[in-house]
Amino acid sequence: MHDTAPRVVRYVASMQKWLITQAIVALHFERKHDEMRPPLTAGSLIDFFAERQPFSKNTLTAHLAEMRAYGLLVPLESRDKRVKPLQLSPYGEALVGQWLESHLSALDRMDGGDRLPTLVGNPQLLAHIHPLAIRALVFDPAWAEPPASVDLFVRTESGSNILHELICRLPADITSMAEPIRLGPLHASEVSTRHTLSRGHVQRVFSRARAEGLLVWSLPGNQGDLSVSGRLLQDYARWQGVKFDAISEAYNQNQQTFT
């Protein structure tokens, strides 16, 4: 996803922005397959989070404006001039579709299922699966409040990019996460260049993770081979499992309609 749309992925690569963005997308799809639902507006987004109120009204409103600036949201025609509804742009829908496809493909690889071809053959499934999964995730503390080791990364701006970069470098033949897993040499400059981040920002994240024993270098000064702690890997796997479970359940609730 980063290689497909680096600017957008950098924008949503923190937990707060991920939760708000996915809520906005869910409201769009709910309206798309049921026009009796309220349109996507600042008010409907505020209502979405009303029970928990984890974000201020100003934060939510500003996020909508930012998504318009990124070309992810466009105005929706309305007869009521007092209301300024929005909808996901075709570009935004395409990105969300790729996001869901990647997760269904991963689930298929785990159990030999056929979720991805079913979605490809029935693209309208996207508007049904996504909102169910997101409503389950946004209000589930197991996802929205990650383990401390994971939270150290994802609570920071673009921290998810840094964490996923580490995970993508794991060797394919891992048999146990009880001990740290060696990734080989990795410098902050390499991560900052790939993800268009400041080197100082990456170094600060690395330093906090090193202080917590989550990242270990074989030589002083973050030199030599980098190893990732088993605690971080296990926490990450369990955390991601919450998301995959929600997506799988949302798919299961809808597949009978299209098979």
Side-chain angles (χ1 to χ4, degrees):
M1 291 302 296
H2 173 268
D3 293 339
T4 299
R7 182 168 176 260
V8 173
V9 171
R10 284 199 307 273
Y11 169 63
V12 298
S14 72
M15 198 63 202
Q16 172 175 304
K17 288 185 174 180
W18 190 97
L19 292 170
I20 299 174
T21 299
Q22 293 285 17
I24 289 169
V25 175
L27 287 170
H28 162 79
F29 283 133
E30 287 175 345
R31 167 73 173 185
K32 184 170 183 175
H33 72 72
D34 182 2
E35 292 189 355
M36 298 301 293
R37 302 293 293 264
L40 171 59
T41 62
S44 64
L45 180 60
I46 291 168
D47 288 344
F48 184 97
F49 288 106
E51 290 184 15
R52 304 287 179 89
Q53 294 183 332
F55 310 113
S56 71
K57 294 180 180 179
N58 287 341
T59 296
L60 297 174
T61 302
H63 197 93
L64 284 171
E66 287 181 298
M67 287 187 67
R68 286 194 65 178
Y70 275 78
L72 298 172
L73 295 175
V74 294
L76 177 67
E77 290 186 10
S78 173
R79 295 177 182 177
D80 188 346
K81 300 303 180 183
R82 297 170 299 176
V83 179
K84 297 180 179 180
L86 299 166
Q87 63 182 349
L88 202 60
S89 67
Y91 172 62
E93 280 202 9
L95 289 178
V96 176
Q98 292 173 31
W99 176 84
L100 183 59
E101 287 176 5
S102 70
H103 285 77
L104 295 183
S105 174
L107 286 165
D108 288 345
R109 292 199 299 275
M110 283 189 263
D111 63 11
D114 60 356
R115 301 171 187 84
L116 178 58
T118 300
L119 175 64
V120 172
N122 303 277
Q124 64 270 43
L125 263 175
L126 174 62
H128 294 261
I129 295 173
H130 181 277
L132 280 177
I134 295 307
R135 283 192 177 272
L137 287 169
V138 167
F139 300 111
D140 183 353
W143 172 257
E145 301 171 15
S149 62
V150 173
D151 188 62
L152 182 147
F153 290 89
V154 302
R155 71 167 176 259
T156 65
E157 194 73 17
S158 297
S160 294
N161 276 356
I162 299 171
L163 178 57
H164 291 140
E165 180 70 24
L166 298 175
I167 298 300
C168 287
R169 291 172 177 269
L170 290 171
D173 58 351
I174 294 176
T175 58
S176 171
M177 291 189 290
E179 299 295 332
I181 304 296
R182 187 167 61 184
L183 306 185
L186 180 62
H187 302 286
S189 58
E190 187 176 348
V191 178
S192 65
T193 299
R194 169 163 166 71
H195 295 282
T196 322
L197 304 171
S198 78
R199 186 170 178 270
H201 175 63
V202 178
Q203 286 180 319
R204 286 190 291 275
V205 174
F206 276 179
S207 295
R208 289 195 294 268
R210 183 184 59 196
E212 294 295 327
L214 304 175
L215 300 179
V216 179
W217 278 265
S218 60
L219 298 174
N222 293 3
Q223 299 296 313
D225 287 344
L226 168 63
S227 295
V228 180
S229 76
R231 174 162 66 96
L232 174 58
L233 296 178
Q234 290 175 38
D235 286 345
Y236 178 86
R238 294 189 189 100
W239 180 61
Q240 286 290 315
V242 175
K243 179 179 60 176
F244 278 101
D245 186 57
I247 292 173
S248 178
E249 179 60 27
Y251 173 87
N252 290 339
Q253 290 184 41
N254 283 281
Q255 68 165 331
Q256 297 300 324
T257 307
F258 298 95
T259 58

